[in-house]
Amino acid sequence: MAHARRKKSYLLDPRFQLKWTGYLVAVVLVVMTALGIIIGRTAVRAADTASLAVAQAERAYEESKANSILARRSVELAAGDNPTLQAVMDESLKEVDTQSEKNLSEVKQRQADILRDRRNLQLLLGGAGVALLLLLVLMGVVITHRIVGPVHKMKRLLRRVSTGRLVIEERLRRGDELEDLFDTFLQMTYSLRAQQSARLATLDDTLRRAEASSSTPTDVVDGLRALRAQMVIGLERRRASMHPVE
């Protein structure tokens, strides 16, 4: 006979599991938001500093160009018919202009790098935040399942014990919590089985004497036999086909 199977679910108690998972996610979300604000403000200050540096570099470049124009005109007036002096001064002014353009280009490139890093950081923080929240939800459900699972199993087994079936062969899964509580439950079933066995032995002795006595009414003997059958059922092992799959 095929074993009865039950679909495995990690949400055995959705209210409990989702509540504590929500608490965990909310706490981490608050921490992540605070860190994101701090990092975001730092990135904004860095971008503002880069923009200010670019503005200053542009002003310096414009001033350098204006000074170069004035210097060239002064050289042209002072040099007169001396082309050698004018060439030397032009070369020097060109080097100054080239260096100013290079400095401005480097500052702008640095600003572009900072803005790109800021965008990448925002994307990274957003993606990492979403991934972390999903991971926390998954971990919260799995971790709480390790607690709810044993409770769910014990509730089912307690219902079975309440019907008089005292043989419990199921155990917790590896990694489940509440092992001490489950061991206490098993000890309780052992004690009940021992008491049931003692009562059954007393009943067997009474039944033998009742069957041996001709004065015992038949309905009394039948009642004792029925009571014995009920007590024996509680001490029998469950058939393998009746074991649900966790």
Side-chain angles (χ1 to χ4, degrees):
M1 184 181 295
H3 295 290
R5 295 189 178 274
R6 183 175 56 192
K7 185 178 180 180
K8 184 174 181 180
S9 174
Y10 280 95
L11 284 177
L12 299 176
D13 189 345
R15 182 176 177 274
F16 174 84
Q17 291 180 256
L18 294 180
K19 179 181 72 174
W20 288 103
T21 299
Y23 288 160
L24 176 63
V25 171
V27 171
V28 175
L29 184 60
V30 170
V31 176
M32 287 176 54
T33 301
L35 291 176
I37 291 174
I38 295 173
I39 295 174
R41 288 179 176 176
T42 303
V44 168
R45 284 196 293 268
D48 292 342
T49 302
S51 299
L52 180 60
V54 169
Q56 292 176 346
E58 288 177 344
R59 286 197 296 268
Y61 176 71
E62 294 298 330
E63 291 175 359
S64 176
K65 287 178 62 177
N67 292 333
S68 296
I69 294 173
L70 292 176
R72 283 190 176 89
R73 290 177 180 176
S74 299
V75 168
E76 290 175 355
L77 294 175
D81 296 333
N82 191 346
T84 302
L85 178 60
Q86 186 174 355
V88 171
M89 293 301 297
D90 286 341
E91 185 67 24
S92 299
L93 292 173
K94 286 181 180 179
E95 291 179 359
V96 172
D97 291 342
T98 302
Q99 185 63 38
S100 298
E101 292 178 358
K102 180 179 179 182
N103 292 338
L104 179 60
S105 177
E106 290 177 353
V107 172
K108 287 185 176 180
Q109 182 62 42
R110 182 57 180 168
Q111 181 192 31
D113 293 340
I114 292 175
L115 293 177
R116 185 184 65 252
D117 293 341
R118 178 186 174 186
R119 288 192 298 270
N120 292 338
L121 180 61
Q122 290 173 340
L123 293 175
L124 178 62
L125 288 176
V130 173
L132 181 58
L133 288 178
L134 293 177
L135 180 61
L136 285 174
V137 171
L138 178 61
M139 289 182 60
V141 171
V142 172
I143 291 173
T144 54
H145 179 73
R146 293 299 181 181
I147 299 175
V148 175
V151 174
H152 183 76
K153 176 175 288 186
M154 288 184 61
K155 287 170 60 178
R156 177 168 53 81
L157 295 178
L158 282 170
R159 286 194 294 267
R160 196 167 84 193
V161 170
S162 67
T163 64
R165 297 182 178 273
L166 305 177
V167 178
I168 304 297
E169 297 179 339
E170 298 182 41
R171 296 295 183 269
L172 295 181
R173 299 161 304 183
R174 181 177 301 177
D176 277 344
E177 302 296 332
L178 306 180
E179 291 183 358
D180 293 341
L181 181 60
F182 193 80
D183 290 340
T184 302
F185 167 72
L186 290 180
Q187 291 297 328
M188 180 196 72
T189 61
Y190 297 155
S191 299
L192 292 175
R193 283 162 56 186
Q195 294 176 12
Q196 187 83 322
S197 297
R199 294 191 185 101
L200 184 60
T202 302
L203 179 61
D204 286 341
D205 183 65
T206 303
L207 181 59
R208 282 194 299 270
R209 284 184 289 157
E211 290 175 340
S213 176
S214 59
S215 61
T216 304
T218 303
D219 57 344
V220 173
V221 175
D222 292 340
L224 291 174
R225 288 173 179 170
L227 178 60
R228 184 186 185 281
Q230 294 175 3
M231 296 177 66
V232 168
I233 290 176
L235 298 176
E236 290 179 346
R237 298 179 182 273
R238 300 188 72 189
R239 292 180 299 173
S241 59
M242 299 296 293
H243 289 177
V245 177
E246 296 293 337

